[in-house]
Amino acid sequence: MDATLKSFLDSKNYTRTKLKFTKTNHFEVKASINGIKGLFILDTGASSSCVGFESISFFDLKVNDSNVKAAGAGATDMLTKVSKKNIIKIGRYKIDEIDLVLFDLVHVNTALINHGGKPVDGIIGADILKKAKAIIDYDTKHLYLKK
């Protein structure tokens, strides 16, 4: 079945990236921000793609203050910052000038570690997935993104 889906999506100019299904029932995906590789959770329920405060210098992010409060994964009213005009690459898919939300990912990473997972650098959210017309093949654990 995957060969048929892959062939069809190849003909529609999609790229394919391997996903890893974790012990915590998340998909992880490797991606790079500004040319620096990191590990991310794929989260269709997250409205924006995010990076933890602790990764600001790692990804060489230019940061501005934000009035927006983040919520999710059991936490609410979290302070955020924003980083504009970043380059993100997931496999062969690339977006120039993507804005990223920055917030404290400690609670997310603590929960992942406590359940046998690995800490992540951030979250790939619906903003990128929608822009890329993403298709997730849960059976073969692949993410398809339209070039």
Side-chain angles (χ1 to χ4, degrees), residues 12-62:
K12 300 295 183 186
N13 208 24
Y14 275 80
T15 66
R16 184 171 91 150
T17 302
K18 186 75 176 151
L19 298 171
K20 180 182 176 192
F21 194 69
T22 70
K23 294 177 185 178
T24 59
N25 291 329
H26 292 96
F27 275 127
E28 287 176 348
V29 63
K30 293 178 182 174
S32 66
I33 297 174
N34 302 326
I36 299 150
K37 294 178 184 176
L39 185 64
F40 298 82
I41 289 176
L42 191 69
D43 188 348
T44 61
S47 56
S48 299
S49 295
C50 310
V51 173
F53 286 143
E54 61 279 1
S55 296
I56 290 171
S57 60
F58 180 71
F59 289 117
D60 193 27
L61 301 175
K62 310 294 185 262

Side-chain angles (χ1 to χ4, degrees), residues 113-128:
I113 292 165
N114 287 343
H115 290 91
K118 289 192 279 187
V120 295
D121 298 299
I123 298 165
I124 302 296
D127 55 344
I128 290 174

Side-chain angles (χ1 to χ4, degrees), residues 65-108:
D65 287 331
S66 170
N67 294 326
V68 175
K69 301 275 186 177
T76 58
D77 289 331
M78 294 180 290
L79 295 175
T80 66
K81 294 188 181 284
V82 66
S83 179
K84 297 182 179 282
K85 298 185 179 180
N86 295 285
I87 298 168
I88 191 160
K89 191 171 180 191
I90 304 169
R92 291 175 297 163
Y93 179 81
K94 180 180 171 186
I95 300 176
D96 294 320
E97 299 195 6
I98 188 79
D99 295 347
L100 299 167
V101 173
L102 300 145
F103 73 102
D104 189 347
L105 275 179
V106 169
H107 70 286
V108 171

